[in-house]
Amino acid sequence: RKDILIRNADITLPTYPTVTIIVPCYNEEDSVKRTVDSLLALHYPADKLSISLVDNMSKDKTWEILKGYESHPQISIFQEPVPGKHNALNCALRQVKTEFVGCLDADSSVHPEALKRILTYFSNPLTMAVAPSIVVRDPKNFLEYAQRAEYDMAHYTKKMLAFLEGIHVTPGPFSIFRKRVFDEIGEYRKAHHTEDQEIALRMHKYGY
């Protein structure tokens, strides 16, 4: 228990490495603006943070919303015509030049201090990826309250798995990787909508 560190205060990092966050989108017109705006509100130097928005051929107004950000200096937008979240992620991943890269699902948003809190764990040069803590925002029905309870338990179990070097999934809502992981072991792969688990297990296979 003494080894569990909870960061509630604002953080100042000794250095601010370059980071790219990829947001894959498919029919996310109701949530993607909130997602992108939460990334733009991160407490992180703007010249160190890039955001890649990828529309995976949505059938709603997602692409029109993304085009509203195309003149923003931090944001790049792409369209990936081949279906599959792994293809959307790889479309942007091939353009990434930063030291770190992460993903944020287009139905999620981040706390302003989230990126800095995650990056503190990379002070260990052997750390190759960091998984986030996820909470349910404003649950309104039984299923959402049940999901919140599940996620609260996951905070504990993931921390215990971390001590055992046994985390088996780097989930879509804001897992952060060293970019060299993808350079060395390859891109995301089709995994029946569990590409986030496949990449984590592949990292274990390679000794990360």
Side-chain angles (χ1 to χ4, degrees):
R1 187 165 60 183
K2 294 177 182 178
D3 293 331
I4 298 177
L5 178 61
I6 299 175
R7 294 176 172 88
N8 290 320
D10 290 357
I11 293 172
T12 299
L13 298 177
T15 60
Y16 290 82
T18 54
V19 183
T20 298
I21 305 299
I22 302 170
V23 182
C25 308
Y26 179 72
N27 292 347
E28 300 287 359
E29 65 178 5
D30 293 332
S31 59
V32 67
K33 187 178 187 304
R34 182 178 64 196
T35 299
V36 177
D37 289 348
S38 77
L39 288 172
L40 292 173
L42 283 168
H43 297 165
Y44 205 80
D47 62 332
K48 301 287 187 178
L49 177 63
S50 300
I51 301 167
S52 295
L53 311 178
V54 187
D55 176 50
N56 201 193
M57 306 310 290
S58 297
K59 295 177 174 60
D60 61 3
K61 296 180 180 179
T62 297
W63 178 239
E64 285 75 10
I65 295 170
L66 299 191
K67 286 201 295 185
Y69 291 99
E70 63 184 342
S71 62
H72 195 287
Q74 288 178 263
I75 295 178
S76 301
I77 64 172
F78 306 93
Q79 279 189 307
E80 170 52 54
V82 182
K85 182 180 175 182
H86 65 292
N87 289 317
L89 289 167
N90 290 335
C91 170
L93 190 59
R94 293 172 192 135
Q95 315 301 320
V96 171
K97 306 297 183 185
T98 54
E99 183 180 357
F100 293 91
V101 61
C103 169
L104 180 61
D105 290 342
D107 61 354
S108 304
S109 57
V110 290
H111 186 281
E113 286 286 300
L115 181 55
K116 290 192 293 182
R117 291 173 181 172
I118 285 176
L119 288 175
T120 60
Y121 290 95
F122 287 102
S123 60
N124 181 345
L126 296 179
T127 299
M128 292 293 136
V130 177
S133 293
I134 305 169
V135 296
V136 176
R137 186 211 324 265
D138 302 327
K140 295 180 174 62
N141 57 51
F142 174 80
L143 286 177
E144 291 174 358
Y145 276 103
Q147 187 179 37
R148 184 170 73 169
E150 177 191 8
Y151 282 8
D152 287 347
M153 286 299 297
H155 296 165
Y156 172 80
T157 55
K158 277 199 295 186
K159 182 60 71 174
M160 297 306 103
L161 286 169
F163 290 144
L164 299 171
E165 298 183 356
I167 289 181
H168 62 281
V169 60
T170 43
F174 218 55
S175 291
I176 305 295
F177 303 78
R178 293 190 193 273
K179 171 59 165 53
R180 56 172 282 204
V181 169
F182 298 98
D183 296 336
E184 293 174 3
I185 70 173
E187 301 177 336
Y188 283 98
R189 297 176 182 170
K190 182 179 180 180
H192 304 288
H193 304 295
T194 59
E195 70 292 320
D196 50 1
Q197 186 168 42
E198 192 280 333
I199 189 66
L201 294 174
R202 192 165 8 128
M203 289 175 68
H204 281 297
K205 177 181 178 180
Y206 282 83
Y208 291 151

